[in-house]
Amino acid sequence: MKSKYQWKIQQTIDKTLISQYPELDPIILQLLWNRGIHKAEDIDNFINADYTDLLDPFLILDMQKSIDRIIAAVEKKESILIFGDYDADGVTGSTILYQGMKTAYLALHQRGGGQIMDTHTNEFEKYVQVYIPDRHKEGYGLKDEAVTYILASKPQLVLTVDCGVRSFAEIDAIQKAGIDVIVIDHHSVPDTMPPAYAIIVPKRKEDSYHFKDLCGAGLAFKVITALLSELRVKVGYDSIPIGYEKWLLDLAAIGTIADMVPLIGENRIIVRYGLYVLAKSKNIGLKSLMDITGIVPEVDEIDGVESKNISVYSVGFQIAPRINAAGRIAHANQAFKLFTTTDTHEAEQLALDLQKLNDERKALTENVLKEVEAKLSQYEDISQLALIMEGDKNWPIGVLGIVASRLVEKYYRPVVLYQEQLHHNVASARSIPEFNIADAVAEMQDLIISGGGHSQAAGLSFNTHKTDAVVESLRQQIREKIDISKLTPYKTIDIELPAQAVDWDLYDTFYKLAPFGMNNPTPIFVLRKMRIVDIKPLGKDNKHIKLQLVSEDQVGTPLNISAIGFNFSFVLDQIHRNDIIDIVFRLEINEWGGNRELQLHLIDIASNEA
């Protein structure tokens, strides 16, 4: 039996390097090395990351200018509009700004002391509004409809979050109308920045801020941290206790995990502490959402797929999809309202609504996936395609990115799916590590209406009559950068282990690197010469499998351990009892009936050729 993936095992670190760090377990050192963490200072910062290691937000270019302007606006009771994106990062970022500015407003205008945020709420809502665009009618970012609304409603200050850095013309129009715009964004930057009043975008070349990978919610958290820090000096520590902004870390962690930014540096700190804040969250909307998804308010820093605790997995695969479902199927305002309501009954109903929208999203995703696969059946050999690009007028925009991601995983090709509209198409693109799709979109500015994104995920729109030209441009760019005949999906494996190394000590060792996520993935290992002693189909339609394995090549007592493979039913007719196999896996805990045991989470299987 052949493996599904090509296995790329990381090079083993030199023994002389191990001798330089005698205090570190060699496995930890290998895992850190695999993640590009080589220097003693960086190793210490990674292992011993603390909340106090977050950088001073005022080191971000334009932060002081932005905070001065926000304080002036709040103090003078100017009209403020927060413009956020419709995904989980944009919604949580908008909520952070909104709640943080409410704290600032009440601290400045509530007199006589007492708990902040207890009074003047209606007055605050009179001056501060949040505008999240309709994904289906307006699309991503500042568009004509939003600009028209802003110019008509005439706020005195606009803050964009998770968007804005590429909206030159729109921001120019708003600024010329006498409205100040502060851009808070983390997407790839254009050659020419928009003419905003201030720009909070650490990715700018001229910005010396050390950490460049904060998401929109992370940047919003930095803005509010700076705002409340400045206000403490102005109004006193009684009004805004030190560390009050930490209560917003739950939302910042959700945005960080959902947007799949690198889980290193400041992002790792935000997520690590944010998960614990989420477990104690005061946000009744978040608590209602966790209740309806069955998440237990206890933190599990190492992700077990079957765990019901708060973890990167539960946030990324249970909480975030329900937030995103609002924007994908209906309107993201429902998610924003969930996070800002103070009514328990309303929170419960909104959480239930998001659950229903997520169920609808799942059904639509499966339908579109089947229709795309039907279109792909016309090709004799998909492996000869440089690009998969398909469209249909009935495909909902909100699920195209999800479907594209699944197709990338299956076919290992860049994928662009689009909805055909009256005169133009709206597309979601997903790519592989070998091809930067955001750069490719940037190369087509003469062919598209708008577009942008990240290296492996982008959005774009283009006129219908230019569809063929867009397809050809993307194909040409792909063929210039990639030899498609050699494209093979692969898994990067951290360490090839002897069977005797798989024990609780191993689990406890790599636990020190949690929480895991982008750029700090859960460690992946390989074991050779494992004998299958039992095979059990599991789940609805027997989609999953459970194996009982015993090591064949080991000093001492053989390893006897179970392995679970989700969506692994395709191997059932290829494996048999007593087969000797090699496996790629993650090590996790299986808890049942009060028992805890180590379990292998299967990623790939191959016949042992030795």
Side-chain angles (χ1 to χ4, degrees), residues 293-399:
T293 54
I295 296 174
V296 178
E298 297 178 6
V299 176
D300 180 5
E301 287 194 10
I302 294 188
D303 293 332
V305 174
E306 296 178 286
S307 173
K308 296 184 182 299
N309 293 346
I310 292 170
S311 65
V312 173
Y313 177 86
S314 65
V315 170
F317 289 90
Q318 293 177 288
I319 294 176
R322 285 162 174 79
I323 299 171
N324 282 326
R328 293 184 189 279
I329 305 301
H331 199 291
N333 282 340
Q334 288 178 261
F336 175 77
K337 193 172 184 180
L338 173 67
F339 297 146
T340 53
T341 183
T342 57
D343 182 275
T344 301
H345 177 73
E346 183 181 41
E348 292 171 350
Q349 184 57 52
L350 287 166
L352 181 61
D353 291 344
L354 291 194
Q355 177 84 339
K356 292 176 179 177
L357 289 173
N358 192 51
D359 290 339
E360 184 178 348
R361 187 270 306 168
K362 289 179 182 178
L364 286 171
T365 298
E366 292 303 321
N367 289 339
V368 173
L369 182 60
K370 288 177 182 177
E371 291 182 19
V372 177
E373 292 279 21
K375 286 177 178 282
L376 295 180
S377 65
Q378 67 180 296
Y379 301 105
E380 291 185 9
D381 187 359
I382 293 179
S383 68
Q384 297 303 308
L385 299 178
L387 168 74
I388 292 174
M389 185 162 174
E390 301 289 344
D392 191 282
K393 65 180 181 180
N394 295 316
W395 290 349
I397 296 170
V399 302

Side-chain angles (χ1 to χ4, degrees), residues 165-305:
V165 73
R166 288 185 170 271
S167 301
F168 187 98
E170 293 82 1
I171 289 174
D172 186 45
I174 296 169
Q175 284 284 158
K176 284 179 177 176
I179 302 168
D180 289 333
V181 179
I182 298 174
V183 173
I184 304 168
D185 198 1
H186 72 110
H187 291 93
S188 57
V189 297
D191 294 332
T192 303
M193 300 300 288
Y197 176 86
I199 299 174
I200 305 295
V201 181
K203 286 182 178 176
R204 284 196 283 173
K205 290 180 181 179
E206 60 270 32
D207 195 327
S208 60
Y209 193 70
H210 179 67
F211 191 69
K212 304 288 187 180
D213 291 317
L214 290 163
C215 66
L219 285 171
F221 179 76
K222 300 296 283 192
V223 169
I224 295 305
T225 299
L227 174 64
L228 299 187
S229 172
E230 197 85 341
L231 280 176
R232 285 189 188 99
V233 178
K234 189 178 183 70
V235 302
Y237 291 84
D238 290 340
S239 295
I240 308 175
I242 292 177
Y244 190 81
E245 65 277 359
K246 290 181 183 178
W247 285 110
L248 297 172
L249 276 170
D250 48 9
L251 292 163
I254 291 170
T256 300
I257 294 168
D259 222 51
M260 300 181 71
V261 289
L263 208 54
I264 57 177
E266 289 198 289
N267 288 336
R268 185 163 179 265
I269 296 171
I270 287 171
V271 169
R272 166 174 276 182
Y273 287 89
L275 292 178
Y276 285 97
V277 173
L278 184 57
K280 301 177 181 179
S281 183
K282 294 181 178 181
N283 189 305
I284 62 171
L286 267 180
K287 289 197 283 188
S288 295
L289 192 58
M290 288 191 290
D291 286 343
I292 205 166
T293 54
I295 296 174
V296 178
E298 297 178 6
V299 176
D300 180 5
E301 287 194 10
I302 294 188
D303 293 332
V305 174

Side-chain angles (χ1 to χ4, degrees), residues 102-121 235-242 244 247 282:
K102 179 187 282 190
T103 301
Y105 183 90
L106 296 173
L108 282 167
H109 298 290
Q110 178 173 278
R111 302 304 177 191
Q115 288 293 315
I116 58 177
M117 298 177 73
D118 283 347
T119 61
H120 296 276
T121 296
V235 302
Y237 291 84
D238 290 340
S239 295
I240 308 175
I242 292 177
Y244 190 81
W247 285 110
K282 294 181 178 181

Side-chain angles (χ1 to χ4, degrees), residues 416-589:
V416 181
L417 301 179
Y418 57 91
Q419 182 193 70
E420 298 169 345
Q421 298 189 358
L422 187 59
H423 300 297
H424 71 285
N425 301 323
V426 179
S428 283
R430 297 295 183 268
S431 192
I432 54 180
E434 293 90 340
F435 186 71
N436 189 312
I437 192 66
D439 287 351
V441 170
E443 288 290 321
M444 301 190 298
Q445 293 303 310
D446 59 328
L447 296 176
I448 64 176
I449 299 170
S450 63
H454 306 292
S455 62
Q456 290 178 242
L460 64 154
S461 61
F462 47 93
N463 288 319
T464 303
H465 69 276
K466 291 191 175 181
T467 301
D468 290 343
V470 169
V471 172
E472 186 54 39
S473 175
L474 285 171
R475 282 178 180 162
Q476 183 176 343
Q477 290 187 66
I478 293 168
R479 293 186 183 279
E480 286 174 356
K481 294 177 173 62
I482 303 173
D483 182 350
I484 63 168
S485 66
K486 296 180 180 179
L487 272 183
T488 305
Y490 65 88
K491 286 294 179 183
T492 300
I493 297 166
D494 284 294
I495 305 172
E496 182 173 335
L497 293 171
Q500 62 265 28
V502 180
D503 56 19
W504 284 100
D505 286 341
L506 173 65
Y507 184 87
D508 293 339
T509 295
F510 72 75
Y511 180 90
K512 297 173 184 176
L513 302 185
F516 299 110
M518 293 297 293
N519 288 44
N520 179 35
T522 305
I524 294 178
F525 306 106
V526 64
L527 278 174
R528 307 282 187 185
K529 295 185 178 180
M530 299 296 292
R531 181 181 296 276
I532 301 174
V533 296
D534 194 24
I535 306 169
K536 289 182 179 178
L538 296 176
K540 185 179 180 181
D541 300 324
N542 292 330
K543 291 172 62 176
H544 317 305
I545 65 169
K546 186 172 185 178
L547 306 179
Q548 194 65 34
L549 304 172
V550 174
S551 59
E552 284 286 297
D553 189 9
Q554 177 174 345
V555 177
T557 305
L559 172 67
N560 190 327
I561 195 167
S562 63
I564 186 102
F566 293 99
N567 297 310
F568 255 75
S569 59
F570 65 91
V571 304
L572 284 173
D573 60 350
Q574 302 177 59
I575 57 175
H576 309 86
R577 286 182 178 86
N578 293 318
D579 282 354
I580 307 298
I581 60 173
D582 300 335
I583 58 170
V584 177
F585 67 95
R586 292 191 294 267
L587 186 62
E588 62 184 27
I589 295 175

